[in-house]
Amino acid sequence: MSEAGTSAGRPRSEEAHQAILDATLELLAEVGFSALTVEGVAQRAGVGKATIYRRWAAKLPLVIEAFNQLPGLEEADTGNVVDDLKQMLQSYLQLFNSTPLATVLPSLAGERAHNTDLTALFDPVTKQRRQPLIRALERGVERGELPKDLDLDLAADLIVGPIAVRLFFTGRKVNPRIVGPIVDLALRGLANPRP
Amino acid sequence: MSEAGTSAGRPRSEEAHQAILDATLELLAEVGFSALTVEGVAQRAGVGKATIYRRWAAKLPLVIEAFNQLPGLEEADTGNVVDDLKQMLQSYLQLFNSTPLATVLPSLAGERAHNTDLTALFDPVTKQRRQPLIRALERGVERGELPKDLDLDLAADLIVGPIAVRLFFTGRKVNPRIVGPIVDLALRGLANPRP
DNA sequence: GGGATTACGATACTATACGTTCCGTTCTTA
DNA sequence: TAAGAACGGAACGTATAGTATCGTAATCCC
């Protein structure tokens, strides 16, 4: 295991490294996690299989690193909960429509159900991705836009859920147009402590 | 292709047929769609591979028939939208907690993203499963509990989404306790035309 | 009841595809 | 220029899907 700096000899190609990660993401989107093969990645990346095994011991750590290359949710802080949420969910959907995320995520989520190794990877990642949303809701509570006893996780699920369901069950692209109504509907329920 | 009735000779064993379907569901829950092998099903069911291939040409139609054996959502009609929805979602969760559905569904949904054959199967099934929910909402509209211009699909997603997200990403059994708050929150938003 | 017919479980077989390792070559450093 | 490490490609062993075949068991029809 020679890290850079110690060594004489030919250094590892950063170009190959990136090509492998890119190919992994592409194939992950095309065929899914379980049908992803190291051989396929090598061919797509134009490298030998040994070049992959020299860097990653197995498929899972490779997929982990590739998945973490996908951009995260950009936090919005406009001073208004509704605008924050709408803006963040718009970015969210643009992300899904412009990256392999829309196909990669369902595949990983589906695999998560029976692959405990993948579960260990995946759960922290999904929790991480919710954080900007949670923080926006917290700011709303602080500003008095939302009740103090709001269940933040439930609120986040109420907002993310409808979009996730459409992504998972009804094809690929989700129209960003639906973000407005979803946030309005959800917030109308969340903001009023009792009817 | 001899259907029953035409033939002399030993009839196909209905016991083996059912054992194959049961084994398919079990393995589907344990290892997922893509890792499901006909050989594995044969071993689990205690039948020869030929017995399976004699009935199903490939893995997909077998999975289809097995999946369709899982029970559907029981419709509730109490005369009140909120109660209808709460009752139906309770059944929904009990179904998930007592059948392999909680692991089978994410696996199929994940596979759906890159398997067009499975997509063709899966989309009508999911649409079908929403129908009782949609009808309950329609009754609510008719009774004046919900606005006439309600987007039924959006409303259904708003209610199912939060539960689905928890099932897909947290894996553990979902506490039926959350149904009440979810329906209350969602309906509070849906029922009031404008804040 | 007996013969014909079909399904049964089990096993052998072929082709394919995968993970992993090995090899001759290329690149970089000292 | 020599040494060392990574490179792409190819070779090797393993596993699995799918098919064919075996002897046996069950059912129908005469």
Side-chain angles (χ1 to χ4, degrees), chain B residues 5-41:
Chain B
T6 315
S7 52
R10 180 176 179 173
R12 290 191 181 168
S13 163
E14 187 53 41
E15 193 180 357
H17 196 91
Q18 193 58 46
I20 293 167
L21 290 176
D22 291 345
T24 301
L25 275 182
E26 289 177 24
L27 282 175
L28 209 51
E30 290 175 19
V31 304
F33 177 80
S34 46
L36 183 83
T37 66
V38 174
E39 183 142 15
V41 173

Side-chain angles (χ1 to χ4, degrees), chain A residues 28-50:
Chain A
L28 209 50
E30 289 175 19
V31 304
F33 176 81
S34 45
L36 182 83
T37 67
V38 174
E39 181 143 16
V41 173
Q43 285 179 7
R44 176 73 59 105
V47 306
K49 283 196 276 185

Side-chain angles (χ1 to χ4, degrees), chain A residues 177-195:
Chain A
R177 203 178 287 268
I178 68 162
V179 166
I182 286 175
V183 172
D184 287 337
L185 286 172
L187 266 286
R188 206 178 300 157
L190 293 171
N192 304 324
R194 285 279 164 159

Side-chain angles (χ1 to χ4, degrees), chain A residues 81-94:
Chain A
V81 192
V82 175
D83 291 339
D84 280 5
L85 293 177
K86 285 186 181 176
Q87 190 170 320
M88 292 170 73
L89 289 182
Q90 300 279 1
S91 321
Y92 192 69
L93 283 184
Q94 281 176 3

Side-chain angles (χ1 to χ4, degrees), chain A residues 60 63-64 67-68 108 116-126:
Chain A
L60 193 56
V63 169
I64 291 174
F67 182 76
N68 282 336
L108 291 181
T116 55
D117 294 337
L118 186 53
T119 304
L121 146 75
F122 202 56
D123 289 4
V125 171
T126 54

Side-chain angles (χ1 to χ4, degrees), chain A residues 133-192:
Chain A
L133 218 58
I134 299 284
R135 282 195 293 268
L137 290 166
E138 283 175 337
R139 289 194 300 272
V141 172
E142 287 170 12
R143 283 190 298 259
E145 296 168 307
L146 295 170
K148 275 195 162 51
D149 62 346
L150 182 69
D151 182 335
L152 293 171
D153 278 319
L154 181 57
D157 286 341
L158 202 66
I159 292 162
V160 169
I163 296 175
V165 152
R166 294 192 170 204
L167 277 167
F168 275 53
F169 290 115
T170 74
R172 308 252 165 129
K173 314 242 174 192
V174 173
N175 194 331
R177 203 178 287 268
I178 68 162
V179 166
I182 286 175
V183 172
D184 287 337
L185 286 172
L187 266 286
R188 206 178 300 157
L190 293 171
N192 304 324

